[in-house]
Amino acid sequence: MSTQSLIGFLANSLKYGHDLAKTRVYTMTQKTPLYEGKAKVIFEGPEVGTLIQHFKDDATAFNAQKKEVISSKGILNNYISEHIMMAVGELGIPNHFISRISDREQLIRKLEIIPVEVVVRNVAAGSICPRLGLEEGSMLNNTLVEFCLKDDSLGDPIIAPEHIFTFGWATPEELEIIVEDTLRINDFLTGLFLGIGVRLIDFKLEFGRYDTEDGVEIMLADEISPDNCRLWDAETNEKMDKDRFRRDLGGLVEAYQEIARRLGVKVPEID
Ligand code: TMP
Ligand code: ASP
C-alpha cells in the first residue's frame, strides 16, 4: 500500500469506525521516538511532512517535580483533543491534527515548533495568583494573554513579546497571527464549554510553522485537553482538569470522562 493510499485508508477507516489499534499502522509506530515529552511521544509519520503523536498516561506538574502515571489519561486526552482540534479546524483556524489513528495516537502535520507557550487567562488561577497576589477565582477585567519560553531547564519563564522578537523565536507578523488565532480560540472554547456547563478559566497553546508550496503557514500544535486547560463546573466551581492531580484532589479520570461525556465525545470504556 502506498503511503498516499494508507492515509486514505486511515481516513476511511476512521469514518467507518474500524478499530485501527489492531491494524499494521499501530506496529509502524513501534519505532524509535523522535522526541519524548512529559505527556506525549512523537514518532515519524507514514509520509513526509507527517508525525504520529502518542498520548502517554504520565502526569507531571511543577516542571516535573511531581510525577505519576494515571491509567487511561492519555486515551481520554487523545479523544478530547481530537474533538476540540477538529472543531477549531472547522472555525478556519489551521492546526496540525489530521486524524486519530488509535486510542492513543494521532496523525499530525510536522511543524517547526515555535518555542513559546501562549497562556490565555479569563479568571485568575494557578501561577498568576502567587505571582501578582490575586485570589483564585477572581475575574480578570479582560482576557489576558501571557507568553512563556518553552524550556523546561529554565522552568518555562514568563517573557514579553520583546523577548520573542529580540531572540528571534517568532517575528512580529507571526506573533500577530498567533494572538489573533488564540483570541478566536478562546472565544470559541469559552462558548463551547459554557454550553456544557463548564467555565474555561485558562489554557495553554503552542504553535508552529508548516511548510506549504505557497510558503510558511502558522498552525496550532500540541493538544487541547483537560491537561492544558483549567475547567471548572459552572454550578459548583468543581475542578475538572489537571489541577485534580496537581493538588492531590483525586478523581482525575472521572473528571476527564465527565468532560468527554458532556462534549458528546465517545471514549473507549475504561475500568
Ligand atoms: P499556570 O497557571 O500554571 O501558569 O498554567 C496556566 C495554564 O496553562 C493552565 O491551564 C495549565 C496550562 N499549562 C500547561 O499546559 N503546561 C504547562 O507547562 C504550564 C505551566 C501550564
Ligand atoms: N506539565 C507541566 C510540568 O510538568 C506543568 C503543569 O502542567 O503544571 O511541569
Side-chain angles (χ1 to χ4, degrees):
M1 195 187 286
S2 75
T3 47
Q4 196 56 51
S5 54
L6 176 60
I7 290 186
F9 163 72
L10 285 175
N12 280 329
S13 300
L14 271 176
K15 202 155 61 187
Y16 301 116
H18 294 169
D19 184 1
L20 292 175
K22 294 187 182 68
T23 70
R24 69 175 78 177
V25 175
Y26 196 78
T27 54
M28 195 166 56
T29 66
Q30 311 300 304
K31 284 195 196 167
T32 318
L34 290 179
Y35 169 80
E36 177 147 11
K38 287 181 290 222
K40 296 187 287 295
V41 190
I42 302 293
F43 297 89
E44 199 72 68
E47 198 179 69
V48 177
T50 66
L51 296 172
I52 288 168
Q53 171 166 261
H54 174 106
F55 289 73
K56 299 190 284 183
D57 285 340
D58 299 17
T60 65
F62 315 117
N63 207 11
Q65 289 174 64
K66 181 177 166 73
K67 272 190 208 170
E68 213 176 287
V69 175
I70 303 180
S71 179
S72 304
K73 177 176 81 75
I75 297 176
L76 290 161
N77 282 342
N78 184 18
Y79 279 78
I80 293 170
S81 191
E82 171 195 18
H83 180 83
I84 296 179
M85 285 293 192
M86 282 181 48
V88 164
E90 280 165 21
L91 269 190
I93 297 176
N95 68 73
H96 73 165
F97 179 84
I98 301 173
S99 59
R100 182 175 53 75
I101 55 177
S102 74
D103 280 353
R104 288 187 183 273
E105 290 168 310
Q106 301 182 346
L107 185 67
I108 58 170
R109 294 184 183 85
K110 184 177 192 167
L111 310 186
E112 180 196 350
I113 294 294
I114 294 172
V116 173
E117 300 192 341
V118 183
V119 173
V120 182
R121 300 183 188 275
N122 297 308
V123 175
S127 68
I128 197 172
C129 294
R131 178 161 28 101
L132 299 181
L134 304 177
E135 197 176 322
E136 183 181 77
S138 52
M139 286 303 295
L140 300 174
N141 289 335
N142 50 261
T143 297
L144 179 63
V145 178
E146 296 179 331
F147 306 102
C148 297
L149 178 63
K150 188 174 156 61
D151 187 332
D152 286 340
S153 67
L154 299 175
D156 295 345
I158 190 161
I159 50 174
E162 285 75 8
H163 294 96
I164 297 175
F165 310 144
T166 297
F167 295 100
W169 295 315
T171 65
E173 293 73 24
E174 287 175 331
L175 198 64
E176 200 181 315
I177 297 170
I178 288 171
V179 171
E180 194 180 305
D181 284 358
T182 296
L183 293 175
R184 283 189 65 209
I185 292 168
N186 183 48
D187 281 350
F188 170 71
L189 289 186
T190 297
L192 179 83
F193 280 116
L194 260 191
I196 58 165
V198 172
R199 299 172 70 198
L200 177 62
I201 303 302
D202 59 31
F203 58 99
K204 186 260 305 184
L205 299 177
E206 293 182 24
F207 290 84
R209 301 181 185 94
Y210 184 63
D211 269 328
T212 72
E213 281 176 6
D214 302 325
V216 173
E217 185 173 16
I218 296 292
M219 282 194 188
L220 175 66
D222 195 43
E223 67 178 287
I224 302 183
S225 73
D227 259 20
N228 59 357
C229 299
R230 282 198 174 88
L231 303 168
W232 295 359
D233 181 86
E235 277 187 12
T236 63
N237 278 333
E238 195 184 348
K239 298 181 197 310
M240 305 177 76
D241 56 63
K242 206 171 93 176
D243 270 352
R244 301 212 68 85
F245 161 72
R246 293 189 190 98
R247 298 189 176 196
D248 295 319
L249 299 173
L252 178 140
V253 165
E254 291 76 7
Y256 285 29
Q257 279 175 315
E258 177 61 11
I259 292 290
R261 191 191 67 77
R262 291 195 200 178
L263 283 171
V265 177
K266 250 180 89 61
V267 292
E269 249 177 65
I270 288 160
D271 320 313

